Amino acid sequence: MKNVLAIYPGSFDPVTNGHLDLIERGAKIFDRLAVSILRNLDKEPLFSGLLVEYARLREARVILRGIRAVSDYEYELQMAMMNRKLNPHVETVFMMPAVSYSFLSSRLVREIARLGGPITGLVPAVVEERLRDKEL
Ligand code: PNS
């Protein structure tokens, strides 16, 4: 019997309700789902390991990524193809979050929080609290 582990990787800085939506959708499809916080080298220049190497160690068959809009597609396609080249045994699967989260990103949440704007409904309550604490 197949027991498919999917990795849902991202920088999750911070995790948003859009991420949670995708986790719920992914958990319904795959036998197991590992949410993996990884470093995006464009966002922080520090080497910490390849995603596909982590997938190999965990024996994961799938990398799950969310696509909100066409604008995400080019970057995601490039990453998926490179990951396939690095490890042909892992398939990238794209899922779309609810349309109500199609405009939501961690970067915008950070910016709004930094400028004292409302982030209720965009992130889980615990993240909202932590962001508010950070501002003080
Ligand atoms: O949430 P993000 O920032 O869009 O996630 C990007 C992430 C962390 C999944 C990607 O940068 C990544 O896989 N980083 C780990 C290093 C790696 O494997 N890089 C090669 C990608 S082809």
Side-chain angles (χ1 to χ4, degrees):
M1 265 218 334
K2 283 186 180 168
N3 185 347
V4 177
L5 168 65
I7 292 178
Y8 178 41
S11 15
F12 303 113
D13 186 28
V15 73
T16 68
N17 287 345
H19 293 129
L20 294 190
D21 180 273
L22 214 81
I23 290 167
E24 278 173 23
R25 287 171 199 279
K28 284 186 198 150
I29 301 285
F30 301 107
D31 299 306
R32 289 172 298 144
L33 185 71
V35 179
S36 307
I37 303 166
L38 292 171
R39 290 210 160 92
N40 180 331
L41 296 194
D42 287 337
K43 296 178 185 169
E44 191 186 339
L46 197 71
F47 180 77
S48 71
L50 277 176
L51 171 56
V52 288
E53 180 56 15
Y54 178 64
R56 195 186 60 76
L57 289 172
R58 297 278 318 250
E59 296 181 7
R61 302 263 312 282
V62 171
I63 292 169
L64 174 65
R65 290 286 288 174
I67 290 201
R68 291 161 298 189
V70 178
S71 49
D72 284 338
Y73 183 69
E74 211 171 325
Y75 164 65
E76 293 298 334
L77 179 70
Q78 192 181 13
M79 206 156 57
M81 289 306 169
M82 184 55 82
N83 281 331
R84 177 181 281 168
K85 169 115 183 97
L86 295 169
N87 184 345
H89 303 293
V90 180
E91 284 296 339
T92 298
V93 172
F94 296 124
M95 291 181 83
M96 288 78 67
V99 74
S100 49
Y101 298 128
S102 57
F103 58 89
L104 182 52
S105 73
S106 298
R107 184 182 65 77
L108 286 180
V109 167
R110 284 198 305 272
E111 189 169 319
I112 294 163
R114 220 174 264 145
L115 298 171
I119 49 169
T120 306
L122 302 181
V123 293
V126 64
V127 173
E128 187 178 345
E129 264 172 50
R130 294 293 298 273
L131 282 170
R132 295 265 166 261
D133 289 349
K134 243 181 145 27
E135 275 179 82
L136 296 175

